[in-house]
Structures are given as structure tokens and as C-alpha cells.
RNA sequence: GCGCCCAUAGCUCAGCUGGAUAGAGCGUUGGACUACGAAUCCAAAGGUCGCAAGUUCGAGUCUUGCUGGGCGCACCA
């Protein structure tokens, strides 16, 4: 709805500029917002003050001209007033709101979708956990945020792809193989010192046992490196399969899993290094190969190839991001743990070096998740293999609650996951509060159906809902597409979680003060359409978060 | 030492790109079911938006400097 107001306002201002009633301004940013104070109308804009300050004119005079012009196009506004230092407050006609409601009914599942993204290609890369162990709770937050963001971007009209980058090569994979082989030998009674920086989790033992049933003691007689390789490949495959299963249970979808190793097979890494050398952006020093990232705003240059001849993690990562650019993504979004923030300037430098605008790259940094049980923090340490897995969380509180909890903070704020609260099936738990609203509406609709009435626009007079609680509810519903679009452009998926809470609150309030099914047939029909629209909006936005909308609970 | 993030009601947090009188939930106090699901609702109390300057018509929001907390500063990934 804000969209429509903005469009109307902008065309009015443009028109006034053309007729010379307003000074010419090459660029101005309008801001239409919903005022906190209801007395100020449905929407408010400061455009007159912006224009006035640039043109050095009186804001009130500018506002006056805009208002007179807006009033002349009388299809939309009930009332347009000047307020304060030059605000323009606008109140829409009830018919406009009634139309907005019928639009929700017409669009159904598609309500909330917009064309903001104009089909631009966007990629979101997230989770990307190494296949060295199961997903833990930190990955869970990244998975929930990433998957929700993908759905939001899709709804906002972007052509979005979800990708998982698998580090299936390198030191960590080698350590994985060593760790598994060690456990394998241990089962066969061979005690050796545990490999340095090996993985100690119990799942390593499980994998060693699986290898034993496949190979019996056959690996013992193999060449060491060969045995490590067999262990590594089997373990990575097994763990990756587990990760995919975790993601499926968590309702997280990926369009593509990208193997780091393919960058080597396809010579992409070598090509990237050649490119940098050609552009004189890399140089040899002290036996290593350096990338001149400092030329692009990084605080110092970074190593691409170490003294020992092996490549750093950064080298293939440059090739990977070059590949993303080559695939035509206009916006590249990487979701990382906040502890990787130091890596951002480096990556932006790489993007810029490839000749792309470095602002097309967005690193969404996800802050730490800590876990609280019985009011006490739960200690976790990945290195020691002591961590709470995502699977454990899903099993304990359910997929829906877990996904919502991960979404109810801004990404850049630390999150305390309260297991006790998550398991409470009461009003304190926002997930149940929201799902309850949905179930309650479904119940009302069932009751109405028993009386032979179902929600339908046919012959229903929505003007009956033009005031009070009914109108307030419609206004919140109508803002859904604006919220989704804003969440997409600002990359702030948590806004959906808060919006849902607003919708549920507004509905519960409405429900307690008004009857849907009453002895007034016309009002009953109208309100059935209204609550059905509430149900639709709740279902649609829950779907954006990958959460189910139960018909009863 | 340098950099990034955070600081808003007793607690946990929103705050729509700089707008008008800063909002929710929990907790506290008091109320509402013999009609559509009380897993709900209503009301009250609760604030120097960490501190101090600056930018301007206007700052919780932007700038700078402090204070406090988290996280980084590898020829690890």
C-alpha cells in the first residue's frame, strides 16, 4: 500500500515540477512512512521539507502546492493535510482499503509478492559448513536466516539462487581422514597418539565402525596416505549426507552444492591467479605470492601462495567469487559467522579486482548463538567435540520453534537461545502465539462452514469494515508486501518475524472485542473475508520463514 | 595497539533508511469466559535511548571522542 501512495505522490511532484510549480530537482529521496500517531492519518511524508531545503523555499509553501494537487486527483485520498513544519499527512478513502482487502483474497498465496527485484539475479551462499562434522546450533542460525532470506528475495521479485559451498579439499579434509583412520586403528587395537588438530567427536568413531563393516581390517595393510584418502572420502560423503538430512528436516533448500575441488579441476584457481598476475595485482615477496588487496582498501596485502608452495584458503575463494560474477549474479550475498568479519575487506578487494562493483558483494555477518537450559548457559567447544547439534535442537523443540527463535533477533545482535522458553507451549512463546491465531481462524471458518457460510467476495460488502478494529486489521495486512520488500532490500529477514507478531497481536485483539459470526449476515460475510485474509497473510509469512501454519493445535 | 559488532523500561528485545508524544513481550499490580479455541484479551505502573560534543528546521537513528561488553587482527580454514 505504501508503494501506491509513493507512486501517487511522486507522479504528483513530477507533474508540479514540469509545470514549474515546483523547482527542478535532479534527485530527491521521498520518504513515505506510517506515522506512530493515528491522528496523523494513514501515511505521512516529509517530501515538502526535502524539496524545500534543497530549493531554499518555505516547506509550508511547497507542501501547500503538493496538497492542492493531491486533492485534485481525488481517487485515493480522503484527506490530505499539512502538519507541523511541513509534513503532509494523508488519509486514504475507505474504498481503497476495501480494495486492498479484496486483493488479498484474490491473490491468495501470492499476496505479499512484489516485483521490486525486477528479476535481477541474486545469489545467497550460506551454511557452507565443512563436511568435517554435523551441523551445530551456530550453523542453524545461518541456515534459518539464509533460507528465509532466499524466500524473501524470491517473494520480492528477485531471481534468487541458494548455494552451499563445500570445502571438500585441503587441510581440514586431511585432518578428517587422519582422525577417522586413527579411530579405525583404535578399534583394531592399535593405539597411536591422536592426530594434532584432529576431530574428536563421537561421530568419527561411528564412521570408523562403518568403514570396518565395509573393509574389515583391510585398511590396516594399505599404504598410509592411501588409507587416509579412503577414510577421508568416505567420511566426507557420510557427513555430507547427514548434513543434507539435517537441512531437509530444517526445511532448508539449496539449489546447488558447489565443490571447492571443482575449482581446481576446472582450472578456475589457476585462471584467477593468472588474471591477478596479468593485472599486476599480485607479486612475489619473501618466497610467497601476495595479492595487493591494500590497493582496494584492505589494511594489508594478503598471501595467495605460501612459502611451501601450497595455496591459502583465500586463493580458491577468489576463484569461487569470480565464478559467481561470471554466472551473472548482480548481487552476491555471503552469510558468514561474525568471527569472519576480518575477511570482508579482503573479499571486497577481490571483487573489485575482478572489475566488479564491490558493493554488489554483501557479507551478512551472523552473531554468536548461545544456549541456555534451566536458566544456565550451556558450554560448547567445537574443538573438543562438545557442541549441541542442530539435529538435537530440532528434536527437542521442533523445526518451527527453532526456525522462529533463530529469526527473532537482528543478525548483528547476539542471540540467546532459551531452551526452556522454546519448549513452553504458552503465550510466552511467540511461535505458539502466532500459530494459535492461525488455528483459531481456521476454527472460526470451520464453524461458519457448518452454518453453510464460507469466505467469499461474491456479494460481500467490504465497506462494512471501513472503521474501527476491522479497518485497523486491514491496514496491517495491507502492509505485508511493503514489509517483505523492505526485508529483501535491507537484507533484514528478522523483520518478517516481528511483522508476524504484529499481525497475530492485532488479530487476537480484534477477536476478543468483536464477533466474526454474528446474527448480522452481511457483517458476518464481510468479517469472514477479513479473518480469512488474516489467515492467508499469516500462512504466507510463516511460509517465508519455513514454518508450518497448523489448522488446529 | 588497530579493526568490526553491540549498548533503548527490572529482564529479553523492536523502532519502517533523519520525523511529530520512543514501542512490544516477560515480570509486577488490577480486571475480562453459561456465544465463534482463555495457548486469548483489557488496564495501570515502569525511560536522562551508555556518557559528551557535533551536523540541521528536527537525532534512539548520521559524525567524532570516551566508557563498558562480544569478536577478530595467520604464509589456518
Amino acid at each position: 500500500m505504501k508503494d501506491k501512495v509513493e507512486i501517487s505522490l511522486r507522479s504528483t511532484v513530477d507533474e508540479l515540477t514540469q509545470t514549474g510549480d515546483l523547482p527542478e530537482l535532479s534527485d530527491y529521496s521521498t520518504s513515505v512512512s506510517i506515522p506512530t500517531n493515528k491522528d496523523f492519518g494513514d501515511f505521512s511524508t516529509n517530501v515538502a521539507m526535502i524539496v524545500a531545503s534543497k530549493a531554499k523555499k518555505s516547506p509550508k509553501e511547497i507542501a501547500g502546492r503538493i496538497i492542492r494537487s493531491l486533492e485534485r486527483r481525488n481517487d485515493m485520498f480522503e484527506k490530505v493535510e499539512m502538519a507541523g513544519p511541513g509534513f503532509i499527512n494523508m488519509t486514504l478513502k475507505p474504498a481503497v482499503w476495501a480494495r486492498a482487502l479484496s486483493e488479498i483474497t484474490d491473490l491468495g498465496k501470492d499476496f505479499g509478492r512484489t516485483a521490486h527485484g525486477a528479476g535481477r539475479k541474486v545469489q545467497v551462499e550460506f551454511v557452507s559448513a565443512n563436511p568435517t562434522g554435523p551441523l551445530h546450533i551456530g550453523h542453524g542460525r545461518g541456515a534459518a536466516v539464509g533460507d528465509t532470506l532466499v524466500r524473501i528475495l524470491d517473494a520480492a521479485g528477485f531471481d534468487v539462487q541458494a548455494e552451499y559451498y563445500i570445502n571438500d579439499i585441503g587441510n581440514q579434509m586431511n585432518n578428517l581422514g587422519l582422525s577417522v583412520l586413527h579411530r579405525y586403528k583404535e578399534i583394531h587395537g592399535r593405539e597411536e597418539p591422536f592426530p594434532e588438530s584432529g576431530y574428536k567427536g563421537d561421530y568419527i568413531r561411528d564412521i570408523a565402525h562403518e568403514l570396518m563393516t565395509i573393509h574389515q581390517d583391510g585398511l590396516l595393510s594399505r599404504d598410509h596416505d592411501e588409507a587416509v584418502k579412503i577414510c577421508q572420502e568416505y567420511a566426507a560423503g557420510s557427513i555430507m549426507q547427514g548434513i543434507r538430512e539435517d537441512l531437509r528436516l530444517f526445511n532448508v533448500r539449496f539449489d546447488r552444492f558447489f565443490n571447492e575441488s571443482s575449482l581446481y579441476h576446472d582450472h578456475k584457481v589457476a585462471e584467477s591467479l593468472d588474471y591477478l598476475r596479468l593485472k599486476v595485482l599480485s607479486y612475489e615477496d619473501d618466497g610467497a605470492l601476495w595479492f595487493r588487496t591494500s590497493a582496494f582498501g584492505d589494511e594489508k596485502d594478503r598471501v595467495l601462495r605460501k612459502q611451501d608452495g601450497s595455496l591459502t584458503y583465500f586463493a580458491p575463494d577468489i576463484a569461487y567469487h569470480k565464478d559467481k560474477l561470471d554466472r551473472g549474479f548482480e548481487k552476491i550475498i555471503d552469510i558468514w559467522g561474525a568471527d569472519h568479519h576480518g575477511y570482508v575487506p579482503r573479499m571486497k578487494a577481490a571483487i573489485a579486482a575482478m572489475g566488479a562493483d564491490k558493493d554488489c558483494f554483501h557479507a551478512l555477518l551472523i552473531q554468536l548463538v548461545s544456549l541456555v537450559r534451566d536458566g544456565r548457559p550451556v558450554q560448547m567447544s567445537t574443538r573438543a567435540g562438545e557442541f549441541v547439534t542442530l539435529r538435537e535442537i530440532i528434536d527437542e523443540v521442533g523445526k518451527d520453534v527453532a526456525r522462529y527463535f533463530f529469526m527473532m533477533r537482528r543478525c548483528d545482535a547476539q542471540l540467546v537461545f532459551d531452551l526452556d522458553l522454546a519448549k513452553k507451549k504458552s503465550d510466552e512463546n511467540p511461535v505458539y502465539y502466532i500459530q494459535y491465531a492461525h488455528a483459531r481462524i481456521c476454527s472460526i471458518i470451520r464453524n461458519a462452514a457448518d452454518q453453510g457460510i464460507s469466505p467469499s467476495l461474491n456479494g460481500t460488502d467490504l465497506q462494512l469494515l471501513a472503521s474501527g478494529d476491522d479497518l485497523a486489521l486491514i491496514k496491517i495486512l495491507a502492509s505485508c508486501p511493503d514489509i517483505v520488500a523492505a526485508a529483501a532490500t535491507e537484507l533484514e529477514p528478522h523483520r518478517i518475524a516481528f511483522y508476524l507478531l504484529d499481525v497475530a497481536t492485532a488479530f487476537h485483539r480484534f477477536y476478543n472485542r468483536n464477533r466474526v459470526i454474528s446474527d448480522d449476515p452481511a457483517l458476518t460475510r464481510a468479517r469472514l473475508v477479513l479473518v480469512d485474509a488474516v489467515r492467508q497473510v499469516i500462512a504466507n509469512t510463516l511460509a517465508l520463514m519455513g514454518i508450518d501454519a497448523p489448522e488446529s493445535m
Side-chain angles (χ1 to χ4, degrees), chain A residues 170-182 184-185 192 195 211 219-220 222-236:
Chain A
N171 284 341
Q172 301 202 18
M173 284 294 99
N174 193 48
N175 287 334
L176 176 66
L178 288 169
S179 307
V180 171
L181 183 60
H182 177 272
Y184 176 85
K185 288 180 174 176
E192 288 176 10
L211 274 165
L219 296 185
L220 294 173
R222 296 267 188 142
D223 170 67
H224 176 76
D225 288 351
E226 203 184 331
V228 169
K229 192 160 182 283
I230 290 170
C231 288
Q232 175 200 313
E233 281 176 2
Y234 180 81

Side-chain angles (χ1 to χ4, degrees), chain A residues 254-452:
Chain A
F254 282 97
D255 298 305
R256 181 167 177 188
F257 288 81
F258 191 106
N259 287 317
E260 181 186 357
S261 57
S262 74
L263 292 167
Y264 291 94
H265 297 152
D266 301 342
H267 312 291
K268 296 257 170 78
V269 178
E271 283 168 19
S272 291
L273 292 179
D274 285 348
Y275 176 88
L276 292 177
R277 191 184 323 115
L278 228 65
K279 295 271 178 180
V280 206
L281 292 171
S282 63
Y283 60 92
E284 300 264 353
D285 186 43
D286 210 13
L289 180 67
W290 297 74
F291 175 11
R292 211 179 295 280
T293 53
S294 61
F296 300 95
D298 198 4
E299 55 184 9
K300 53 173 281 205
D301 292 343
R302 306 291 172 178
V303 171
L304 295 166
R305 193 176 56 232
K306 299 176 250 177
Q307 274 182 336
D308 67 5
S310 66
L311 294 175
T312 60
Y313 175 83
F314 189 34
D317 218 15
I318 293 169
Y320 179 40
H321 284 79
K322 170 140 190 346
D323 184 65
K324 292 186 185 190
L325 288 169
D326 290 344
R327 280 188 266 161
F329 294 113
E330 289 180 51
K331 204 188 272 216
I332 294 171
I333 303 165
D334 284 16
I335 299 186
W336 298 342
D339 54 342
H340 287 73
H341 68 256
Y343 204 73
V344 177
R346 204 175 309 190
M347 205 62 246
K348 287 208 171 212
I351 297 284
M354 297 301 170
D357 177 1
K358 65 178 165 188
D359 291 331
C360 77
F361 174 77
H362 301 267
L364 205 58
L365 300 172
I366 310 282
Q367 286 288 344
L368 199 82
V369 182
S370 57
L371 203 55
V372 167
R373 185 196 294 281
D374 304 326
R376 290 159 178 273
V378 178
Q379 295 299 327
M380 288 183 276
S381 155
T382 312
R383 185 175 293 176
E386 298 161 3
F387 48 80
V388 177
T389 63
L390 176 59
R391 185 77 70 97
E392 285 166 342
I393 297 290
I394 296 172
D395 289 345
E396 187 161 350
V397 307
K399 174 259 295 176
D400 289 344
V401 171
R403 284 196 65 134
Y404 192 90
F405 272 53
F406 282 130
M407 295 303 301
M408 63 184 199
R409 294 282 175 274
R410 288 195 339 257
C411 293
D412 50 16
Q414 294 185 15
L415 171 74
V416 177
F417 197 111
D418 185 337
L419 275 168
D420 309 307
L421 176 58
K423 281 192 289 188
K424 254 184 212 165
K425 300 197 171 184
S426 76
D427 55 342
E428 287 174 65
N429 187 332
V431 184
Y432 288 100
Y433 184 83
I434 293 161
Q435 290 184 326
Y436 179 55
H438 186 270
R440 213 177 203 184
I441 294 168
C442 290
S443 172
I444 295 170
I445 291 173
R446 282 191 298 268
N447 290 337
D450 289 343
Q451 298 175 33

Side-chain angles (χ1 to χ4, degrees), chain A residues 146-161:
Chain A
D147 184 64
T148 303
L149 186 60
V150 167
R151 293 167 192 250
I152 289 169
L153 286 166
D154 174 63
F158 289 90
D159 177 9
V160 56
Q161 190 212 34

